Amino acid sequence: GKKALFVYGRNSIKKNGVYEAIVKTLKENKVDFIEHAGVKPNPVLSHAREGIKTAKKENIEVIIAAGGGSVIDEAKAIAAGAKHGGDAWDFFIGKAGIKDALPVVTALTLPATGSEMNSGFVITNEETKQKYSAGSSKTFPKVSILDPETTMSLPEEQTAYGAVDALAHILEGYFTTKDSDCAVTDELVEALARSIIVSADRIIKNPKDYDARASMMWSATLALNGLPVCGYAGVDFINHAIEHSLSAIYDIPHGAGLAIVIPAYLKYCFKKGNHIRTAKFAEKVLKISAKNPEQTAQEGIETLKKWFRQIGAPISLKDVKIPEADIPQIAENAMGLVRLWGMRYSKKTIEEILSHAI
């Protein structure tokens, strides 16, 4: 395309040199561009609608997204919305499918969501407090540039939340599959999990560790490109459904919410006698070997919580000042996604999961 919409967040890409590099490249290649800045960490529908309006009015031919998953997600929403006659929210509530989209090019600066190598995207409708997802084969990025040096200046908090997010993506399938006899996928998930944990520890110790930054960036990309659920049957994303409610209602970082929900979900599973996969993860990834699977699973959950805390992520609702009394409201909100995604969980079950996150 010769006319681009340049989508980004606030000032981080102007500090790390990405903005300057992209503008220089566009000018050298005689590509006109209009900037669409100000994407929030939890991208909102109203801002995406503004981008869609601009894209249509200015006859934009390509969307360029520079930033993390939030920026890339909004860029995809704009790309699809620019080719849609109705409202973009139609995609998220099943009212319309995505039949076409403008091409999307991404420059990733925050490893976390894997949006640079998949077709999905998430947007929050701030009016209805719904954080929903959409996707299509039309919204795969055409090109994604991953340069670990662009992540060197990330705050420790963002590194931690990105690591939790990437880990959550591979754990959803690993823990919820109804067919656990998938040795190749298990090995892939376990290797990625080890890489994410080791890389995060190295980065926090030395933020300029290029190889650790590279490993984290590539691991986060691979974590949600389809491979880590290949062969798993009956997978669901219940942890994400619950977390989407937390960030939709309270606007907390996605990774922070996941660090709260995942251990709670694993505790819920343990209470229900479903601990074999947790024990396997504890043994293969966290290097725990206890007397029996039950004890291994228990130690694994506590070790994972300890690691989340160690890298600076919250591990309870209290940590982010969400009162226990709000659990029914959170569960009710989560049921919207549970129904939309076709998952078999009741509001009571979600409340029970959240009771382990107090």
Side-chain angles (χ1 to χ4, degrees), residues 19-39:
Y19 178 87
E20 184 182 355
I22 290 174
V23 169
K24 183 173 180 286
T25 302
L26 292 174
K27 287 181 177 178
E28 286 175 351
N29 289 276
K30 296 181 174 57
V31 177
D32 293 331
F33 65 94
I34 294 171
E35 296 184 24
H36 180 66
V39 178

Side-chain angles (χ1 to χ4, degrees), residues 49-286:
R49 282 171 173 158
E50 289 175 18
I52 292 166
K53 186 178 178 181
T54 300
K56 288 181 176 181
K57 180 183 176 183
E58 299 293 339
N59 296 314
I60 295 297
E61 296 177 357
V62 57
I63 311 292
I64 297 170
S70 296
V71 171
I72 298 172
D73 279 11
E74 183 168 320
K76 290 178 184 177
I78 294 169
K83 292 284 190 175
H84 180 54
D87 183 43
W89 190 242
D90 294 346
F91 303 140
F92 298 88
I93 57 175
K95 191 176 177 182
I98 298 170
K99 296 178 180 177
D100 199 4
L102 292 172
V104 175
V105 175
T106 86
L108 181 68
T109 63
L110 173 57
T113 70
S115 192
E116 64 278 1
M117 201 176 180
N118 64 50
S119 62
F121 51 101
V122 176
I123 291 287
T124 298
N125 185 329
E126 60 267 54
E127 293 178 5
T128 61
K129 300 293 184 184
Q130 291 171 302
K131 184 178 179 181
Y132 284 9
S133 64
S136 160
S137 60
K138 302 292 184 182
T139 51
F140 276 102
K142 300 297 183 184
V143 177
S144 287
I145 300 166
L146 279 64
D147 177 1
E149 288 189 352
T150 66
T151 71
M152 296 286 192
S153 59
L154 284 174
E156 188 174 300
E157 185 182 71
Q158 286 188 319
T159 296
Y161 295 159
V164 174
D165 194 4
L167 193 63
H169 290 152
I170 55 176
L171 296 189
E172 290 277 33
Y174 187 87
F175 287 129
T176 65
T177 177
K178 306 303 184 291
D179 178 6
S180 59
D181 192 8
C182 294
V184 174
T185 307
D186 280 359
E187 293 285 350
L188 176 64
V189 167
E190 290 155 6
L192 283 172
R194 289 193 296 269
S195 174
I196 291 165
I197 291 169
V198 169
S199 298
D201 288 342
R202 283 176 57 177
I203 291 166
I204 288 170
K205 186 177 180 181
N206 175 17
K208 300 298 182 184
D209 187 333
Y210 178 90
D211 291 325
R213 292 283 188 185
S215 292
M216 176 63 76
M217 192 170 235
W218 190 220
S219 297
T221 297
L222 293 174
L224 198 61
N225 74 342
L227 280 175
V229 292
C230 190
Y232 287 160
V235 167
D236 64 56
F237 268 56
I238 184 59
N239 293 280
H240 275 71
I242 296 172
E243 194 295 314
H244 280 198
S245 294
L246 295 180
S247 47
I249 298 170
Y250 307 99
D251 199 24
I252 64 172
H254 183 50
L258 287 168
I260 294 166
V261 174
I262 291 170
Y265 170 75
L266 294 179
K267 282 186 177 181
Y268 164 81
C269 291
F270 186 87
K271 292 281 186 183
K272 296 295 181 183
N274 180 9
H275 59 268
I276 299 302
R277 296 290 281 178
T278 307
K280 187 174 190 289
F281 178 82
E283 184 179 351
K284 295 283 189 176
V285 177
L286 303 176

Side-chain angles (χ1 to χ4, degrees), residues 6-16 19 35-44 47 66-68 70-71 74 109 158 251:
F6 183 11
V7 182
Y8 60 93
R10 288 161 190 169
N11 294 317
S12 62
I13 68 165
K14 292 184 178 179
K15 294 177 181 176
N16 61 17
Y19 178 87
E35 296 184 24
H36 180 66
V39 178
K40 290 184 61 181
N42 284 313
V44 294
H47 196 257
S70 296
V71 171
E74 183 168 320
T109 63
Q158 286 188 319
D251 199 24

Side-chain angles (χ1 to χ4, degrees), residues 273-350:
N274 180 9
H275 59 268
I276 299 302
R277 296 290 281 178
T278 307
K280 187 174 190 289
F281 178 82
E283 184 179 351
K284 295 283 189 176
V285 177
L286 303 176
K287 307 301 182 185
I288 295 169
S289 183
K291 293 179 181 178
N292 54 58
E294 290 90 345
Q295 189 176 341
T296 302
Q298 280 186 311
E299 288 188 24
I301 295 168
E302 291 308 311
T303 300
L304 186 62
K305 284 179 68 176
K306 185 179 177 181
W307 183 72
F308 285 160
R309 176 75 81 192
Q310 181 183 310
I311 63 173
I315 56 172
S316 70
L317 294 173
K318 186 166 71 172
D319 286 345
V320 290
K321 297 181 172 54
I322 296 175
E324 182 182 350
D326 284 8
I327 285 178
Q329 175 194 359
I330 298 166
E332 181 60 39
N333 185 289
M335 285 304 296
L337 268 185
V338 167
R339 297 185 192 102
L340 197 63
W341 288 352
M343 297 188 291
R344 296 182 179 179
Y345 293 88
S346 66
K347 182 186 172 187
K348 184 180 178 182
T349 298
I350 294 172

